[in-house]
Amino acid sequence: MTRTPERNAPESRGPSVSRRLRWGLLAGLGFVIVPLVYAAAVLTSTGQRVEDAALGGVRESDLFGSDTALNVISVPVILLLVVVIAAVAFARRRLAVGLGAGVVVLASAATSTLVKRIAERPEIAQSTTPNSFPSGHATIALAALFAVLLVTPRRFRAVVTLVGAAYAVFVANQTVVYGWHRVSDIVGACGIALFWLGVVRLVGPRVDRGERGDRDGDRGPRRIVTVVLLGATGVTFLVGVVALVVGLTGGSDGHDAILVAGRMASSASVLAVVAVVWLADGQHHVTRSDVSAPPARA
């Protein structure tokens, strides 16, 4: 008789820190990020001036403009996403995980709306741009990625992560380019999405059960994703620093350079959060159990 060898749950092969503690720490990190960024960037004159300097680089014709990537995010699309997530979870017989994924999307969107109404922006720096903390678009883009990853088999998460991260970065960039949001709004959005994902992974059901449908897939794509996420985060951060220095020391092009710095800072924030989630999920680990063992005969 031939039988497929048992596989241990992938989550147990992750870092030495336990699964629940790992996600609990990330939930705590997301919870702390939001008030700290709000206090530093929104409630201080220095923070407001630095961020408003980036808005000064937005062309008048683009201010509060729109883009297809931003217009896609709407209430009907969010509800459709939840339905699709539920359908995938039902097909995989993981209804509890699908429910948790729905919570990530809906709770993140609701929290972003609530914080936006509570976290008022005092006009310390005499800015004419209205309150926008945090970015609802960036929150939903990240929460949608995290929710889809919850119901996606591990062997497909490399592709989903890259596509979802690219879209989330594009959304974050466009909100800054069109003057919809400041960098702090994007960082706050990252904190909210990270918080709810951490909560769901902390108290919710185990996402990966170690069964055949949850196999990791080839090691190559996972290694590539790890390198791309970490490398892209580092590159965008460095480009942002250089652009900021040029903006502070430059002449007439200073506002344009600072706008580039703001875009890079927003992109780096999104990429860093996605990279942290990728690593916390244990996707970067390569062990002997990833290799299919020869069938045992009895």
Coordinates of all heavy atoms in Angstrom, one line a residue, residues 41-122:
A41 N 3.6 63.5 13.5 CA 3.5 64.2 12.2 C 2.3 65.1 12.1 O 2.3 66.0 11.3 CB 3.4 63.1 11.1
V42 N 1.2 64.9 12.9 CA 0.0 65.7 12.7 C -0.1 66.7 13.8 O -0.6 67.8 13.6 CB -1.2 64.7 12.7 CG1 -2.5 65.6 12.5 CG2 -1.1 63.7 11.6
L43 N 0.3 66.4 15.0 CA 0.1 67.2 16.2 C 1.3 68.2 16.5 O 1.2 68.9 17.4 CB -0.2 66.4 17.4 CG -1.5 65.6 17.4 CD1 -1.7 64.8 18.7 CD2 -2.7 66.4 17.0
T44 N 2.3 68.2 15.6 CA 3.4 69.1 15.8 C 3.6 69.9 14.6 O 3.3 69.5 13.5 CB 4.7 68.3 16.1 OG1 5.1 67.5 14.9 CG2 4.6 67.3 17.2
S45 N 4.1 71.2 14.8 CA 4.3 72.1 13.7 C 5.4 71.6 12.8 O 5.3 71.7 11.6 CB 4.7 73.5 14.2 OG 5.8 73.4 15.1
T46 N 6.4 71.0 13.4 CA 7.5 70.5 12.5 C 7.0 69.4 11.6 O 7.3 69.3 10.4 CB 8.7 69.9 13.4 OG1 9.2 71.0 14.2 CG2 9.8 69.4 12.5
G47 N 6.3 68.4 12.2 CA 5.7 67.3 11.4 C 4.8 67.8 10.2 O 4.9 67.4 9.1
Q48 N 4.0 68.8 10.5 CA 3.1 69.3 9.5 C 3.9 70.0 8.4 O 3.6 69.9 7.2 CB 2.1 70.3 10.2 CG 1.0 69.6 11.0 CD -0.2 70.4 11.2 OE1 -0.3 71.5 10.7 NE2 -1.1 70.0 12.1
R49 N 4.9 70.8 8.8 CA 5.6 71.6 7.8 C 6.4 70.6 6.9 O 6.5 70.8 5.6 CB 6.6 72.5 8.5 CG 5.9 73.7 9.2 CD 6.9 74.8 9.6 NE 6.3 75.8 10.3 CZ 6.2 75.9 11.6 NH1 6.8 75.0 12.4 NH2 5.6 76.9 12.2
V50 N 7.0 69.6 7.4 CA 7.8 68.6 6.6 C 6.8 67.9 5.6 O 7.2 67.8 4.4 CB 8.4 67.6 7.5 CG1 9.0 66.4 6.7 CG2 9.5 68.2 8.3
E51 N 5.7 67.5 6.1 CA 4.8 66.8 5.2 C 4.1 67.7 4.2 O 3.9 67.4 3.0 CB 3.7 66.1 6.0 CG 4.2 65.0 6.8 CD 3.2 63.9 7.2 OE1 2.2 64.3 7.8 OE2 3.3 62.8 6.7
D52 N 3.8 69.0 4.6 CA 3.2 69.9 3.7 C 4.2 70.4 2.6 O 3.8 70.8 1.5 CB 2.7 71.1 4.4 CG 1.4 70.8 5.2 OD1 0.8 69.8 4.9 OD2 1.1 71.6 6.1
A53 N 5.5 70.2 2.9 CA 6.5 70.6 1.9 C 6.4 69.6 0.7 O 6.6 70.0 -0.4 CB 7.9 70.5 2.5
A54 N 6.1 68.4 1.0 CA 5.9 67.4 -0.1 C 4.7 67.7 -0.9 O 4.7 67.6 -2.2 CB 5.8 66.0 0.5
L55 N 3.7 68.2 -0.3 CA 2.5 68.6 -1.0 C 2.7 69.8 -1.9 O 2.1 70.0 -2.9 CB 1.3 68.9 0.0 CG 0.7 67.7 0.8 CD1 -0.4 68.2 1.7 CD2 0.2 66.7 -0.2
G56 N 3.7 70.5 -1.6 CA 4.1 71.7 -2.4 C 4.6 71.3 -3.8 O 4.6 72.1 -4.7
G57 N 5.0 70.0 -3.9 CA 5.5 69.6 -5.2 C 4.4 69.0 -6.1 O 4.7 68.7 -7.2
V58 N 3.2 68.9 -5.5 CA 2.1 68.4 -6.3 C 1.6 69.5 -7.3 O 1.4 70.7 -6.9 CB 0.9 68.0 -5.4 CG1 -0.3 67.6 -6.3 CG2 1.3 66.9 -4.5
R59 N 1.5 69.2 -8.6 CA 1.1 70.1 -9.6 C -0.3 70.5 -9.4 O -1.2 69.7 -9.0 CB 1.3 69.5 -11.0 CG 2.7 69.3 -11.4 CD 2.8 68.7 -12.8 NE 2.2 67.4 -12.9 CZ 2.1 66.7 -14.0 NH1 2.6 67.1 -15.1 NH2 1.5 65.5 -14.0
E60 N -0.6 71.8 -9.6 CA -2.0 72.3 -9.4 C -3.0 71.5 -10.2 O -4.1 71.3 -9.7 CB -2.0 73.8 -9.8 CG -3.3 74.5 -9.3 CD -3.4 74.6 -7.8 OE1 -2.3 74.7 -7.2 OE2 -4.5 74.6 -7.3
S61 N -2.6 71.1 -11.4 CA -3.6 70.4 -12.2 C -3.8 69.0 -11.7 O -4.8 68.3 -12.1 CB -3.0 70.3 -13.7 OG -1.7 69.6 -13.7
D62 N -2.9 68.4 -10.9 CA -3.1 67.1 -10.3 C -3.7 67.1 -9.0 O -4.2 66.0 -8.5 CB -1.7 66.4 -10.2 CG -1.1 66.0 -11.6 OD1 -1.9 66.0 -12.5 OD2 0.1 65.8 -11.6
L63 N -3.7 68.2 -8.3 CA -4.2 68.3 -6.9 C -5.6 67.7 -6.8 O -6.5 68.2 -7.5 CB -4.2 69.7 -6.4 CG -4.4 69.9 -4.9 CD1 -3.3 69.1 -4.1 CD2 -4.4 71.3 -4.5
F64 N -5.8 66.7 -5.9 CA -7.1 66.0 -5.7 C -7.6 65.4 -6.9 O -8.8 65.3 -7.1 CB -8.1 67.0 -5.1 CG -7.7 67.6 -3.8 CD1 -7.6 69.0 -3.6 CD2 -7.2 66.8 -2.7 CE1 -7.2 69.5 -2.4 CE2 -6.8 67.3 -1.5 CZ -6.8 68.7 -1.4
G65 N -6.7 65.1 -7.9 CA -7.1 64.4 -9.1 C -7.4 63.0 -8.7 O -7.5 62.6 -7.6
S66 N -7.6 62.1 -9.8 CA -8.0 60.7 -9.5 C -7.2 59.8 -10.4 O -6.5 60.3 -11.4 CB -9.5 60.6 -9.7 OG -9.8 59.2 -9.4
D67 N -7.3 58.6 -10.2 CA -6.6 57.6 -11.0 C -7.4 56.3 -10.9 O -8.0 56.0 -9.9 CB -5.1 57.4 -10.5 CG -4.4 56.4 -11.3 OD1 -3.8 56.9 -12.4 OD2 -4.3 55.2 -11.0
T68 N -7.2 55.4 -11.9 CA -8.0 54.2 -11.9 C -7.7 53.3 -10.7 O -8.7 52.7 -10.2 CB -7.7 53.4 -13.2 OG1 -7.9 54.2 -14.4 CG2 -8.5 52.1 -13.3
A69 N -6.5 53.3 -10.3 CA -6.1 52.4 -9.1 C -6.9 52.9 -7.9 O -7.2 52.1 -7.0 CB -4.6 52.4 -8.9
L70 N -7.1 54.2 -7.8 CA -7.8 54.7 -6.6 C -9.3 54.6 -6.7 O -10.0 54.3 -5.8 CB -7.4 56.2 -6.4 CG -5.9 56.5 -6.2 CD1 -5.7 58.0 -6.0 CD2 -5.3 55.7 -5.1
N71 N -9.8 54.8 -8.0 CA -11.2 54.7 -8.2 C -11.7 53.3 -8.0 O -12.9 53.1 -7.7 CB -11.6 55.2 -9.6 CG -11.3 56.7 -9.7 OD1 -11.4 57.4 -8.8 ND2 -11.1 57.1 -11.0
V72 N -10.9 52.3 -8.2 CA -11.3 50.9 -8.0 C -11.7 50.6 -6.6 O -12.7 49.8 -6.3 CB -10.1 49.9 -8.4 CG1 -10.4 48.5 -7.8 CG2 -9.9 49.9 -9.9
I73 N -11.1 51.3 -5.6 CA -11.4 51.0 -4.2 C -12.7 51.8 -3.8 O -12.7 53.0 -3.8 CB -10.3 51.5 -3.3 CG1 -9.0 50.7 -3.6 CG2 -10.6 51.3 -1.8 CD1 -7.8 51.1 -2.8
S74 N -13.8 51.0 -3.6 CA -15.1 51.6 -3.3 C -15.8 50.6 -2.4 O -15.4 49.4 -2.3 CB -15.9 51.9 -4.6 OG -16.1 50.8 -5.3
V75 N -17.0 51.0 -1.9 CA -17.8 50.1 -1.0 C -18.2 48.9 -1.8 O -18.1 47.7 -1.3 CB -19.0 50.9 -0.4 CG1 -19.9 49.9 0.3 CG2 -18.5 52.0 0.5
P76 N -18.8 49.0 -3.0 CA -19.2 47.8 -3.7 C -18.0 46.8 -4.0 O -18.2 45.6 -3.9 CB -19.7 48.3 -5.1 CG -20.2 49.7 -4.7 CD -19.2 50.2 -3.7
V77 N -16.8 47.4 -4.3 CA -15.7 46.5 -4.6 C -15.2 45.8 -3.3 O -14.9 44.6 -3.3 CB -14.5 47.3 -5.1 CG1 -13.2 46.5 -5.2 CG2 -14.9 47.8 -6.5
I78 N -15.3 46.5 -2.2 CA -14.9 45.9 -0.9 C -15.9 44.7 -0.6 O -15.4 43.6 -0.2 CB -15.0 46.9 0.3 CG1 -13.9 48.0 0.0 CG2 -14.8 46.2 1.6 CD1 -14.0 49.1 1.0
L79 N -17.2 45.0 -0.8 CA -18.2 43.9 -0.5 C -18.0 42.7 -1.5 O -18.1 41.6 -1.0 CB -19.6 44.4 -0.6 CG -20.0 45.5 0.4 CD1 -21.4 46.0 0.1 CD2 -19.9 45.0 1.8
L80 N -17.7 43.0 -2.7 CA -17.4 42.0 -3.7 C -16.2 41.2 -3.3 O -16.1 39.9 -3.4 CB -17.2 42.5 -5.1 CG -16.8 41.6 -6.2 CD1 -17.9 40.5 -6.4 CD2 -16.5 42.3 -7.5
L81 N -15.1 41.8 -2.8 CA -13.9 41.2 -2.3 C -14.3 40.2 -1.2 O -13.8 39.1 -1.1 CB -12.9 42.2 -1.9 CG -11.6 41.6 -1.2 CD1 -10.8 40.8 -2.3 CD2 -10.8 42.8 -0.7
V82 N -15.1 40.7 -0.2 CA -15.5 39.8 0.9 C -16.2 38.6 0.4 O -16.0 37.4 0.9 CB -16.3 40.6 1.9 CG1 -16.9 39.6 3.0 CG2 -15.5 41.7 2.5
V83 N -17.1 38.7 -0.6 CA -17.8 37.6 -1.2 C -16.9 36.6 -1.8 O -17.0 35.4 -1.7 CB -18.9 38.1 -2.2 CG1 -19.5 36.9 -2.9 CG2 -20.0 38.9 -1.5
V84 N -15.9 37.1 -2.6 CA -14.9 36.3 -3.3 C -14.1 35.5 -2.2 O -13.8 34.3 -2.4 CB -14.0 37.1 -4.2 CG1 -12.9 36.2 -4.7 CG2 -14.8 37.7 -5.3
I85 N -13.7 36.2 -1.2 CA -12.9 35.6 -0.1 C -13.7 34.4 0.5 O -13.2 33.3 0.8 CB -12.5 36.6 0.9 CG1 -11.4 37.5 0.4 CG2 -12.0 35.9 2.2 CD1 -11.1 38.7 1.3
A86 N -15.0 34.7 0.8 CA -15.8 33.7 1.4 C -16.0 32.5 0.5 O -16.0 31.3 0.9 CB -17.2 34.3 1.7
A87 N -16.1 32.7 -0.8 CA -16.3 31.7 -1.8 C -15.0 30.8 -1.9 O -15.1 29.5 -1.9 CB -16.6 32.2 -3.2
V88 N -13.8 31.4 -1.8 CA -12.6 30.7 -1.9 C -12.4 29.8 -0.6 O -12.0 28.7 -0.6 CB -11.4 31.6 -2.0 CG1 -10.1 30.8 -1.9 CG2 -11.4 32.3 -3.4
A89 N -12.8 30.5 0.5 CA -12.7 29.7 1.8 C -13.7 28.6 1.9 O -13.3 27.5 2.4 CB -13.0 30.7 3.0
F90 N -14.8 28.7 1.3 CA -15.8 27.6 1.2 C -15.3 26.5 0.4 O -15.4 25.3 0.7 CB -17.2 28.2 0.7 CG -18.2 27.1 0.6 CD1 -18.9 26.7 1.7 CD2 -18.5 26.5 -0.7 CE1 -19.9 25.7 1.6 CE2 -19.5 25.5 -0.8 CZ -20.2 25.1 0.4
A91 N -14.7 26.9 -0.8 CA -14.2 25.9 -1.7 C -13.1 25.1 -1.0 O -12.9 23.9 -1.3 CB -13.7 26.5 -3.0
R92 N -12.3 25.7 -0.2 CA -11.2 25.1 0.5 C -11.6 24.5 1.8 O -10.8 23.9 2.6 CB -10.0 26.1 0.7 CG -9.4 26.6 -0.5 CD -8.1 27.4 -0.1 NE -7.1 26.5 0.4 CZ -6.3 26.9 1.4 NH1 -6.3 28.1 1.8 NH2 -5.4 26.0 1.8
R93 N -12.9 24.6 2.2 CA -13.4 24.1 3.4 C -12.7 24.7 4.6 O -12.4 24.1 5.6 CB -13.3 22.6 3.5 CG -14.1 21.8 2.4 CD -13.9 20.3 2.5 NE -14.6 19.7 1.4 CZ -14.6 18.3 1.3 NH1 -13.9 17.6 2.1 NH2 -15.3 17.8 0.3
R94 N -12.5 26.0 4.5 CA -11.8 26.8 5.6 C -12.7 28.0 5.9 O -12.3 29.2 5.8 CB -10.4 27.3 5.2 CG -9.5 26.2 4.7 CD -9.3 25.1 5.7 NE -9.0 25.6 7.1 CZ -7.7 25.9 7.4 NH1 -6.7 25.8 6.6 NH2 -7.5 26.4 8.6
L95 N -14.0 27.8 6.3 CA -14.9 28.9 6.5 C -14.4 29.8 7.6 O -14.6 31.0 7.6 CB -16.3 28.3 6.8 CG -17.0 27.6 5.6 CD1 -18.4 27.1 6.0 CD2 -17.1 28.6 4.5
A96 N -13.9 29.2 8.7 CA -13.4 30.0 9.8 C -12.3 31.0 9.4 O -12.3 32.1 9.8 CB -12.9 29.1 10.9
V97 N -11.4 30.5 8.5 CA -10.3 31.3 8.0 C -10.9 32.4 7.1 O -10.5 33.6 7.2 CB -9.3 30.5 7.2 CG1 -8.2 31.4 6.6 CG2 -8.6 29.5 8.2
G98 N -11.9 32.0 6.3 CA -12.6 33.0 5.5 C -13.2 34.1 6.3 O -13.2 35.3 5.9
L99 N -13.8 33.7 7.4 CA -14.5 34.7 8.3 C -13.4 35.7 8.8 O -13.6 36.9 8.9 CB -15.2 34.0 9.4 CG -15.9 34.9 10.5 CD1 -16.9 35.8 9.8 CD2 -16.5 34.1 11.6
G100 N -12.3 35.1 9.2 CA -11.2 36.0 9.7 C -10.7 36.9 8.7 O -10.4 38.1 8.9
A101 N -10.6 36.4 7.4 CA -10.2 37.3 6.3 C -11.1 38.4 6.1 O -10.8 39.6 5.9 CB -10.0 36.5 5.0
G102 N -12.4 38.1 6.2 CA -13.4 39.2 6.1 C -13.3 40.2 7.2 O -13.5 41.4 7.0
V103 N -13.0 39.7 8.4 CA -12.8 40.7 9.5 C -11.6 41.6 9.2 O -11.7 42.8 9.5 CB -12.6 39.9 10.8 CG1 -12.1 40.8 11.9 CG2 -13.9 39.2 11.2
V104 N -10.6 41.1 8.7 CA -9.4 41.9 8.4 C -9.8 43.1 7.5 O -9.4 44.3 7.7 CB -8.3 41.1 7.7 CG1 -7.2 42.0 7.2 CG2 -7.7 40.1 8.7
V105 N -10.6 42.8 6.4 CA -10.9 43.8 5.5 C -11.9 44.8 6.1 O -11.7 46.0 6.1 CB -11.6 43.2 4.2 CG1 -12.1 44.3 3.3 CG2 -10.5 42.4 3.5
L106 N -13.0 44.3 6.6 CA -14.1 45.2 7.1 C -13.7 46.0 8.3 O -14.0 47.1 8.5 CB -15.3 44.3 7.4 CG -16.0 43.6 6.2 CD1 -17.2 42.8 6.6 CD2 -16.4 44.7 5.1
A107 N -13.0 45.3 9.3 CA -12.5 46.0 10.5 C -11.5 47.0 10.2 O -11.5 48.1 10.8 CB -12.0 45.0 11.5
S108 N -10.6 46.8 9.2 CA -9.6 47.8 8.8 C -10.2 49.0 8.2 O -9.9 50.1 8.5 CB -8.6 47.1 7.9 OG -7.8 46.1 8.5
A109 N -11.2 48.7 7.3 CA -11.9 49.9 6.7 C -12.7 50.7 7.7 O -12.7 51.9 7.7 CB -12.9 49.3 5.6
A110 N -13.4 50.0 8.6 CA -14.1 50.7 9.7 C -13.2 51.5 10.6 O -13.5 52.6 11.0 CB -15.0 49.7 10.5
T111 N -12.1 50.9 11.0 CA -11.2 51.6 11.9 C -10.6 52.8 11.2 O -10.4 53.8 11.8 CB -10.0 50.6 12.3 OG1 -10.6 49.5 12.9 CG2 -9.1 51.3 13.2
S112 N -10.2 52.7 9.9 CA -9.7 53.8 9.2 C -10.7 55.0 9.2 O -10.3 56.1 9.4 CB -9.3 53.4 7.8 OG -8.8 54.5 7.1
T113 N -11.9 54.6 8.9 CA -13.0 55.7 8.9 C -13.2 56.3 10.3 O -13.3 57.5 10.4 CB -14.3 55.1 8.4 OG1 -14.1 54.5 7.1 CG2 -15.4 56.2 8.4
L114 N -13.2 55.5 11.3 CA -13.3 56.0 12.7 C -12.2 56.9 13.1 O -12.4 58.0 13.6 CB -13.5 54.8 13.6 CG -13.6 55.2 15.1 CD1 -14.9 56.0 15.3 CD2 -13.6 53.9 16.0
V115 N -11.0 56.4 12.8 CA -9.8 57.2 13.2 C -9.8 58.6 12.4 O -9.4 59.6 13.0 CB -8.5 56.5 12.9 CG1 -7.3 57.3 13.2 CG2 -8.4 55.2 13.9
K116 N -10.2 58.5 11.2 CA -10.2 59.7 10.4 C -11.1 60.8 11.0 O -10.9 62.0 10.9 CB -10.7 59.4 8.9 CG -10.4 60.5 7.9 CD -11.0 60.1 6.6 CE -10.3 59.0 6.0 NZ -8.9 59.3 5.5
R117 N -12.2 60.3 11.6 CA -13.2 61.3 12.2 C -12.7 61.7 13.6 O -13.0 62.9 14.0 CB -14.5 60.6 12.3 CG -15.2 60.3 11.0 CD -16.5 59.7 11.1 NE -17.2 59.4 9.8 CZ -18.4 58.9 9.7 NH1 -19.0 58.5 10.7 NH2 -18.9 58.7 8.5
I118 N -12.0 60.9 14.3 CA -11.5 61.2 15.6 C -10.2 62.0 15.6 O -10.1 63.0 16.3 CB -11.3 59.9 16.5 CG1 -12.6 59.2 16.7 CG2 -10.7 60.3 17.8 CD1 -12.5 57.9 17.4
A119 N -9.3 61.6 14.7 CA -8.0 62.2 14.7 C -8.0 63.5 13.9 O -7.6 63.6 12.7 CB -6.9 61.3 14.1
E120 N -8.4 64.6 14.5 CA -8.5 65.9 13.8 C -7.1 66.4 13.6 O -6.2 66.1 14.3 CB -9.3 66.9 14.6 CG -10.8 66.4 14.8 CD -11.6 67.4 15.6 OE1 -11.0 68.4 16.1 OE2 -12.8 67.3 15.7
R121 N -7.0 67.3 12.6 CA -5.7 67.9 12.2 C -5.7 69.4 12.5 O -6.4 70.2 11.8 CB -5.5 67.7 10.7 CG -4.1 68.3 10.3 CD -3.9 68.1 8.8 NE -2.6 68.6 8.4 CZ -1.5 67.9 8.4 NH1 -1.5 66.7 8.9 NH2 -0.3 68.4 8.1
P122 N -5.1 69.8 13.6 CA -5.0 71.2 14.0 C -4.2 71.9 12.9 O -3.1 71.4 12.5 CB -4.4 71.2 15.4 CG -3.6 69.9 15.4 CD -4.4 68.9 14.6

